[in-house]
Amino acid sequence: MTSRTTDWWHTLELAAAPADAPAAFCADVGPDSLLAAYRAGLFPMPAADDYGRWMNEALYEERVAAGAIAVPGSDRDLPYQVAWWSPDPRPVLLPGQARLGRRLARRLRNRLDWSTSVDRDFGRVVGQCAADREPRWLTEELRRSLLALHERGWAHSIEVWQGAELVGGAFGVRAGPVLSLDSMFHRRPDASRVAVADLAARFGAVGGRLLDAQWDSPHIRSLGARPLPRQDYLDLLRSGPPVGAPATDLLPAGRLVTA
């Protein structure tokens, strides 16, 4: 199933996909399928339970029947397990344009002794992002696949530390010149904002073109995200070979504050 699904993602046409609904349903969230989907411009939202699958069917069965939402042939009998989204427009962050805000910048400059790292505790960051979240889209199966992609060098975490304490972080998947930002968390105010700004800076330093924030929201806009038409996003995603992984060094968060 994995190889067939991987090929299917490569041939899926998103130009006519819904802007405000799943572009596809596909139950395969194995690491190969997952990476192929990110590279094609989609990200997954698995149903956490039977109720979630029922809701997907109730909301989208007419569009599936009409062919507006794609489903691979192997999933025809149970197409509502995992929804794959490709919103239009797509909220994106350009490296170097992530906003800390004046209050946080002042705190980092004067008294917050935070540091940041990449890929030092990927599993823990994913676990913190999954904790106390509803709906529980970070299922165990998806988490295993993300860990496999991390071990292959495609999924990355950013950690924010206060001494030895993990106070915030984020994680995402690298695809071409894009890093798709899946989730973030904080245990101290503004720690997730620092995580995103730091990851944007590190990814830009190795040639990354943008961070894909996936879901638009006032919070994402406050971080500096702007809407990008889906076709422009897809064109950029396919514009060249993958860039390198971001540097993993432990660095002071205060360096993000410009003079």
Side-chain angles (χ1 to χ4, degrees), residues 103-104 107 114 124-133 158-162 165-171 183-196 219 223:
R103 181 179 61 84
L104 176 56
R107 291 171 63 215
W114 287 355
R124 190 174 170 198
V125 169
V126 173
Q128 289 292 310
C129 287
D132 304 321
R133 295 287 181 89
I158 179 82
E159 300 89 19
V160 181
W161 305 93
Q162 183 172 310
E165 181 184 2
L166 182 65
V167 297
F171 76 91
S183 190
M184 64 188 82
F185 82 95
H186 66 272
R187 294 290 176 261
R188 295 286 186 277
D190 293 321
S192 59
R193 183 180 292 269
V194 169
V196 172
H219 175 63
L223 293 175

Side-chain angles (χ1 to χ4, degrees), residues 41-60:
L42 302 103
F43 57 87
M45 289 293 292
D49 49 29
D50 289 340
Y51 178 77
R53 289 191 293 272
W54 178 85
M55 284 298 298
N56 281 338
E57 182 174 3
L59 289 170
Y60 303 118

Side-chain angles (χ1 to χ4, degrees), residues 100 103-114 194 253-257:
L100 290 173
R103 181 179 61 84
L104 176 56
R106 185 166 57 250
R107 291 171 63 215
L108 286 171
R109 186 182 294 114
N110 295 332
R111 68 177 187 273
L112 275 184
D113 188 21
W114 287 355
V194 169
R255 80 189 195 288
L256 299 170
V257 180

Side-chain angles (χ1 to χ4, degrees), residues 210-251:
L210 57 82
L211 264 61
D212 168 22
Q214 298 184 348
W215 299 108
D216 203 0
S217 70
H219 175 63
I220 286 298
R221 293 291 184 99
S222 77
L223 293 175
R226 61 179 180 84
L228 184 68
R230 179 169 59 199
Q231 190 57 55
D232 291 349
Y233 172 81
L234 295 174
D235 289 344
L236 189 148
L237 183 65
R238 300 161 184 165
S239 65
V243 300
T248 61
D249 316 56
L250 185 69
L251 297 172

